[in-house]
Structures are given as structure tokens and as C-alpha cells.
Amino acid sequence: MPARSHPKSLAPTLLPRLWLALAALIFASLTLAAHADDKVVRIGYQKYGTLVLLKGRGNLEPKLKALGYRVQWSEFPSGPPLLEALNAGAIDFGSAGETPPIFAQAASDALTYVAHEPAAPKGEAILVPKASPVQSLADLRGRKVALNKGSNVHYLLVRALESAGLSLADITPVYLAPADGRAAFERGAVDAWVIWDPFFAAAEAGGNARVLADGSGLVPNHQFYLSSRDFSAKNGAALDAIVAAVAEVDAWAKDNTDAAAKELSPSVGIPAPILAAALRRQTYGIRPLDAGVTAEQQRIADTFHGLGLVPKAIDIAGAVRKPGS
């Protein structure tokens, strides 16, 4: 019968392992405790725009760390799903064009307008193929028009049709996300495509797109920065820090368009020269909503309510963050 090993004979082998395991457990506990003490700002961003530059340049993290916050970033394909996430409490802050916040307000009273960028009407357009017989907005009657439902270009299409004496009932809207919209446009499955930069600039560079109309004289095309009401009410200092960081990146991008395009290119998947063309149509200078911008946004909300596209009247002014709050 083999001799039984004495437990003490294992001590020299097990002791270092036990100490290592104990040290790892203590370190993990301390790390979790440190993170538990941190508050978190969850930021939603799209593949193009100032928030992508803010994420890449790292301007925000030090500002928020000084206030006891850390940052979590989440990417979204467009404004509507980003604001669905804001309404659902999955993110605390993000940006979108004019129309998505209105649809989000129709679904919930969870959001707050924090700030905006100046109007950029040339940053979105209605495109047709170069050889298309469509020469005017009136020629869209009876045509298939691709657009992202609930996005900023939805309002551009409404206003463009109105300017030609038409309505959405006079065309066949085909609701597609940007990538699917471009595919449909290029294979001739739709007669026109309503789209924003940088997809607009990429389609122009592709060589087979002609601008039927951009937003000039039709829509302002503001970019809004939004937060949840709950986060805004409890984290005013953090929101101020985010706005300050966006302002810094804005100022840099305005004076360094080509460099900004190079930074954006890998994440967007569009060559830098095309992005530079889009950035030159963009506007810069984050600022609080004034009475004029609030009224413009209210007109958009009233238009969509009148068309039956949102089920209830929307109050924009009641959702605007007050200075100092």
C-alpha cells in the first residue's frame, strides 16, 4: 500500500500560488471599487461628425476624470436609433440632426436639447443619376425616392416637395438606411436619393450623382447635442465639460479641415479627400439653443404633426436645457 503524502509536503508548492491568487483577488477588488466610485457618462456617436473627432482626440476624458467620471462610447448608424437608445436609458448624451429628436419626443419626454451647431443647409441634398430625366423638383412626381425615415433629410424632402407644389403622397418614399439607399440608387432601383454628408460627398465623388437640390433656401439643417432629462438634471457639470470639449474640437476642425478628414477617414471608411469636401460644408461653433433655433425646430415638429407622421403635438421649448442648469 503506497505511503500517504503528508499535507505539509505540499505547502512549499501551494503557498506561492495561494499568495498570487490572493493578491490578484485583492487587486481586482480594489479596481472594481475604484470604478464603482467613478460615475459614467455614456455617449452615443455616429461614424461621422464632431463626436467621432472628440472620441479619437481624447479631449474629453481628462475633463471628466477631474469631475469623477469616466466615459463609455457607443456607435450608432444614424440619429433615429441613437435617440431610441437615449429614450431607453441606454446612453446619456449624443448628437443628431433636426428630425430624429422630434420623433424621439413623440415617443417619450426623456430627452433634453443641450446645444446645437449653426445651420449647414448645403450638407444634405436630393440626388438623381446624371442621366436622369428628372430636371426639377416637380419632376419627382410619381418617382421612387429613397431616404432614411425619421432622419434630417426626411424634412428636406417634405420641404422640397412643398416648394414644387407636391407632397409625400405624390411620390413613392422608399425608406432605407444610407448604405442600402446608395446601393438602390446605384443599381437604378430608385429615381432619387435624399442623403446627408459624408454619404452625399461620397456619392458625388462616385461620378454618377447630380444634385437636384440641397437644403439651401429650404431647411437649416442644424446638428443638435442632446441628453436625457434625468442625466441633465443630475450632472450639469459633466454636461458643461462635454460642451467645452466639443467647442475645442470644433475650433480645431474648422481651421484644420484636411487633418480632421484624415483622422475621420479610418472610422468612416471614406477617403480623406471626400471627407474634406463634406467638412467644408459643415458648420462649427457649438452654442445653446436661442429663441430662433427653438422656433425653427418647432416649425419642423409642427410640420410632421400636421402630416400625421408624429402622433401628437411636440413642445420644443419645454425640452431645451436652461443655461446654468
Side-chain angles (χ1 to χ4, degrees):
M1 183 174 179
R4 294 171 63 186
S5 299
H6 196 280
K8 287 185 178 181
S9 66
L10 296 178
T13 303
L14 287 175
L15 192 57
R17 295 179 184 175
L18 288 170
W19 277 113
L20 285 171
L22 182 60
L25 182 61
I26 291 171
F27 177 76
S29 299
L30 290 173
T31 301
L32 287 171
H35 279 300
D37 290 338
D38 288 342
K39 291 171 282 188
V40 180
V41 181
R42 301 164 300 168
I43 299 179
Y45 67 99
Q46 299 177 50
K47 291 187 74 169
Y48 171 77
T50 305
L51 289 184
V52 179
L53 289 172
L54 182 64
K55 178 178 182 289
R57 295 182 69 77
N59 295 43
L60 178 60
E61 279 77 0
K63 292 180 184 295
L64 287 179
K65 185 176 181 181
L67 297 172
Y69 292 83
R70 53 192 173 90
V71 185
Q72 290 180 353
W73 297 91
S74 299
E75 183 182 307
F76 293 86
S78 62
L82 187 153
L83 289 180
E84 285 177 13
L86 189 74
N87 272 352
I91 60 172
D92 305 306
F93 184 87
S95 66
E98 296 158 331
T99 305
I102 291 166
F103 281 83
Q105 280 186 270
S108 168
D109 63 354
L111 69 80
T112 294
Y113 291 84
V114 175
H116 78 287
E117 303 277 2
K122 293 184 179 296
E124 56 183 5
I126 301 173
L127 305 178
V128 295
K130 279 191 172 178
S132 171
V134 175
Q135 298 296 322
S136 69
L137 290 168
D139 293 337
L140 290 175
R141 185 187 295 273
R143 306 280 183 171
K144 291 182 179 179
V145 181
L147 69 149
N148 196 74
K149 187 175 184 179
S151 69
N152 55 333
V153 296
H154 201 150
Y155 184 59
L156 170 60
L157 179 60
V158 169
R159 290 287 294 113
L161 291 172
E162 285 178 352
S163 74
L166 304 177
S167 71
L168 288 173
D170 293 309
I171 65 162
T172 301
V174 181
Y175 297 118
L176 297 171
D180 295 329
R182 180 168 184 176
F185 180 77
E186 290 181 343
R187 69 173 183 268
V190 295
D191 301 294
W193 181 32
V194 199
I195 192 59
W196 63 90
D197 275 327
F199 308 106
F200 167 21
E204 282 187 302
N208 189 40
R210 170 166 51 88
V211 176
L212 185 65
D214 64 24
S216 299
L218 294 171
V219 296
N221 189 30
H222 286 115
Q223 186 76 7
F224 289 103
Y225 295 93
L226 306 118
S227 177
S228 71
R229 285 180 185 263
D230 184 62
F231 184 85
S232 177
K234 298 175 182 176
N235 301 274
L239 278 184
D240 291 339
I242 296 170
V243 170
V246 170
E248 290 175 3
V249 172
D250 256 3
W252 175 81
K254 182 179 179 181
D255 296 330
N256 297 274
T257 302
D258 291 338
K262 287 179 182 177
E263 285 195 19
L264 284 170
S265 181
S267 64
V268 180
I270 292 175
I274 296 174
L275 286 178
L279 288 170
R280 291 187 185 100
R281 290 193 283 244
Q282 191 171 319
T283 56
Y284 304 91
I286 185 171
R287 60 195 67 175
L289 277 70
D290 59 21
V293 172
T294 301
E296 287 174 349
Q297 188 71 349
Q298 187 64 57
R299 278 193 289 273
I300 299 172
D302 293 343
T303 297
F304 278 103
H305 178 52
L307 291 170
L309 294 173
V310 294
K312 63 180 183 180
I314 303 298
D315 176 24
I316 301 299
V320 174
R321 184 191 186 209
K322 304 300 185 290
S325 63

